[in-house]
């Protein structure tokens, strides 16, 4: 049988990308409100463009947030603080249009009169895991994120002092019979000072960004496209309007698996778009870590105001070692999928969300990312009879 070969591509962006500026502002506002009142209900959207940040949304809270201050400090921390910057943190205009959450939504979501907390909205969420990497993430997005983080690192540490905050990475992996065998193409685009040459940027990025991140054995005849237009001096919100929630594939699995369509940033954990997406990644990761499948996708779906999910689905793409129905039943036995239970189990009423808003919400072995723990492996194995 002839081996089946194919290419799969994923991308990531740096924290200075306009859409990610918007995500970080939204999550910074969320964090500050949760810090003051952990039961804050927040749905904040941000738009950034030349000289302007527009923040809108619905908030119900006992806390107070100085939106203008948070916007400016977030933009400064990202790195838009250099002379000649077209989105200089201290000069941008900040417009705010925030009002209270609809009481009609609160009726269904709030826990009162012996009624348990319901889902903050209807919707469907997917979680995914695969044994291609030690974090059980797909290889293309795994390396795309690491390249983007390294691009920010060489800028912040002054290793490449001409790099500016806006940047993107893209990784194309060649697969043979479902197994990644080499990286076919790497694309890196980085904003830069005008005084540096194209050849210098290309050589520096390959030596200081790509090679420290990607194993040499994966760089087999790899093609490089470094700043392929030849110039990237004008970047950030001057070059491209940024919006909260416009990088949902970057935030999740890089295009592998499915996506329910809801974004994460700016939403408090009562919104199942966020909390249930974290939970379902946790479930899929534990299933793969338990050896029940090499690849697993789990879907949850909710109705607004209703605590229990309306559906649970498991797809192991034929890689399962036990019957999928047993895995599906084990999920219900091991995990409590009601919104309040998810929030408590993952300890989500903490100001942890700014950190999640860049370089992926999944595949992060850091303390805040409780949904990445593989602490239910033994419970799942017992539940399926192993």
């Amino acid at each position: 049988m002839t081996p089946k070969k194919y290419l799969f591509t994923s991308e990531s962006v740096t924290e200075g990308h306009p859409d990610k500026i918007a995500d970080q502002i939204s999550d910074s506002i969320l964090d500050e409100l949760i810090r003051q009142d952990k039961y804050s209900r927040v749905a904040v959207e941000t738009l950034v463009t030349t000289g302007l940040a527009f923040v809108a949304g619905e908030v119900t809270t006992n806390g107070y947030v100085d939106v203008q201050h948070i916007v400016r400090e977030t933009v400064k921390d990202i790195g838009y603080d250099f002379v000649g910057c077209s989105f200089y943190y201290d000069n941008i205009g900040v417009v705010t249009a925030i009002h209270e959450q609809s009481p009609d939504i609160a009726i269904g979501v709030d826990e009162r009169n012996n009624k348990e907390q319901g889902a903050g909205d209807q919707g469907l969420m997917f979680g995914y895991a695969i044994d291609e990497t030690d974090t059980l993430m797909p290889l293309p997005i795994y390396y795309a994120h690491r390249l983007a983080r390294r691009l920010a690192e060489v800028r912040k540490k002054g290793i490449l002092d001409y790099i500016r905050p806006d940047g993107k990475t893209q990784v194309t992996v060649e697969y043979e019979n479902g197994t990644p065998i080499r990286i076919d193409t790497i694309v890196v685009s980085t904003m830069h000072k005008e005084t540096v040459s194209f050849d210098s940027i290309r050589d520096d990025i390959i030596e200081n960004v790509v090679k420290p991140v990607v194993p040499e054995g994966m760089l087999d005849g790899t093609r490089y496209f470094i700043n392929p237009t030849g110039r990237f001096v004008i970047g950030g919100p001057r070059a491209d309007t940024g919006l909260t929630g416009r990088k949902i594939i970057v935030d999740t699995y890089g295009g592998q698996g499915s996506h329910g369509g809801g974004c994460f940033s700016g939403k408090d954990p009562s919104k199942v778009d966020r909390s249930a997406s974290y939970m379902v990644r946790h479930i899929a990761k534990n299933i793969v870590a338990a050896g029940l499948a090499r690849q697993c996708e789990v879907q949850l779906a909710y109705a607004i105001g209703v605590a229990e999910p309306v559906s649970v689905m498991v797809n192991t793409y034929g890689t399962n070692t036990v019957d999928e129905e047993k895995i599906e039943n084990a999920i219900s036995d091991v995990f409590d999928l009601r919104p309040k239970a998810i929030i408590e189990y993952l300890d989500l009423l903490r100001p942890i969300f700014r950190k999640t808003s860049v370089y992926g919400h999944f595949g992060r072995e850091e303390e805040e990312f409780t949904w990445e723990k593989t602490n239910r492996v033994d419970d799942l194995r017992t539940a399926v009879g192993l």
Side-chain angles (χ1 to χ4, degrees):
M1 181 178 178
T2 303
K4 181 182 179 183
K5 291 188 177 183
Y6 60 91
L7 302 175
F8 192 92
T9 302
S10 296
E11 71 162 352
S12 183
V13 298
T14 64
E15 58 217 62
H17 185 280
D19 293 331
K20 279 298 158 195
I21 297 172
D23 283 343
Q24 288 168 92
I25 290 171
S26 294
D27 272 338
S28 294
I29 292 169
L30 170 63
D31 278 351
E32 182 56 32
L33 289 171
I34 288 179
R35 186 176 288 111
Q36 298 178 41
D37 174 9
K38 68 179 182 179
Y39 298 110
S40 296
R41 294 289 166 77
V42 182
V44 171
E45 314 286 345
T46 303
L47 178 150
V48 293
T49 187
T50 304
L52 177 67
F54 183 84
V55 181
E58 300 79 47
V59 172
T60 301
T61 182
N62 291 318
Y64 168 76
V65 59
D66 183 340
V67 174
Q68 179 170 279
H69 175 74
I70 285 188
V71 169
R72 295 189 188 284
E73 287 302 303
T74 302
V75 172
K76 180 182 179 182
D77 184 59
I78 289 169
Y80 287 98
D81 60 351
F82 51 91
V83 176
C85 174
S86 60
F87 195 68
Y88 190 73
Y89 76 97
D90 204 31
N91 291 338
I92 55 176
V94 180
V95 180
T96 305
I98 294 176
H99 58 275
E100 190 174 14
Q101 181 190 52
S102 166
D104 293 348
I105 295 175
I107 289 172
V109 178
D110 290 350
E111 187 175 20
R112 58 163 75 100
N113 299 327
N114 296 318
K115 177 191 174 297
E116 62 184 330
Q117 179 175 331
D121 199 353
Q122 72 176 48
L124 50 141
M125 303 85 209
F126 289 92
Y128 183 79
I130 189 168
D131 65 357
E132 291 179 358
T133 62
D134 56 357
T135 60
L136 304 186
M137 288 288 286
L139 199 73
I141 192 67
Y142 176 90
Y143 281 121
H145 281 323
R146 276 152 182 76
L147 289 171
R149 294 191 80 157
R150 178 62 180 170
L151 192 57
E153 183 181 25
V154 298
R155 170 177 64 88
K156 292 177 177 180
K157 290 183 176 180
I159 297 170
L160 299 178
D161 61 3
Y162 57 80
I163 298 295
R164 296 305 198 197
D166 193 0
K168 301 180 78 172
T169 63
Q170 186 171 285
V171 176
T172 300
V173 176
E174 182 178 357
Y175 287 79
E176 186 173 302
N177 293 331
T179 300
I181 59 172
R182 58 182 286 272
I183 291 179
D184 180 83
T185 307
I186 291 175
V187 183
V188 179
S189 295
T190 181
M191 186 182 178
H192 59 87
K193 292 181 181 178
E194 190 156 8
T195 53
V196 65
S197 71
F198 169 77
D199 289 338
S200 294
I201 294 173
R202 186 181 192 281
D203 294 343
D204 285 347
I205 293 298
I206 292 173
E207 289 300 318
N208 294 283
V209 176
V210 175
K211 290 185 177 179
V213 168
V214 182
E216 185 178 355
M218 295 296 289
L219 300 174
D220 178 14
T222 301
R223 297 181 298 165
Y224 297 101
F225 293 97
I226 311 300
N227 278 18
T229 68
R231 177 182 166 89
F232 189 178
V233 173
I234 299 172
R238 182 184 173 190
D240 183 22
T241 298
L243 295 169
T244 298
R246 199 159 60 178
K247 285 291 177 284
I248 59 176
I249 300 304
V250 170
D251 285 343
T252 52
Y253 308 103
Q256 293 202 34
S258 305
H259 198 295
C263 80
F264 305 149
S265 290
K267 296 178 181 177
D268 76 87
S270 74
K271 280 71 171 173
V272 284
D273 274 345
R274 182 166 220 159
S275 54
S277 292
Y278 290 174
M279 187 64 176
V280 78
R281 158 65 178 171
H282 178 65
I283 293 168
K285 186 174 183 181
N286 274 267
I287 287 169
V288 174
L292 306 186
R294 289 187 53 249
Q295 181 181 8
C296 183
E297 181 175 79
V298 181
Q299 185 202 52
L300 299 179
Y302 290 86
I304 187 169
V306 179
E308 294 285 352
V310 299
S311 68
V312 180
M313 182 278 296
V314 173
N315 181 6
T316 61
Y317 301 89
T319 68
N320 51 306
T321 58
V322 299
D323 188 76
E324 280 189 354
E325 187 174 352
K326 284 187 176 182
I327 298 174
E328 196 170 289
N329 291 335
I331 292 172
S332 299
D333 292 341
V334 173
F335 300 101
D336 190 337
L337 301 178
R338 295 173 297 171
K340 183 180 179 181
I342 291 173
I343 291 167
E344 292 176 349
Y345 174 70
L346 295 178
D347 194 15
L348 296 179
L349 296 180
R350 298 178 294 149
I352 62 172
F353 298 108
R354 161 75 187 276
K355 193 171 186 179
T356 70
S357 62
V358 284
Y359 309 121
H361 292 248
F362 307 124
R364 309 271 293 273
E365 304 293 341
E366 300 164 59
E367 183 273 332
E368 295 88 349
F369 294 72
T370 52
W371 48 94
E372 291 297 315
K373 294 180 179 178
T374 51
N375 57 323
R376 306 309 297 273
V377 165
D378 291 341
D379 295 330
L380 283 168
R381 290 180 63 83
T382 299
V384 299
L386 297 178

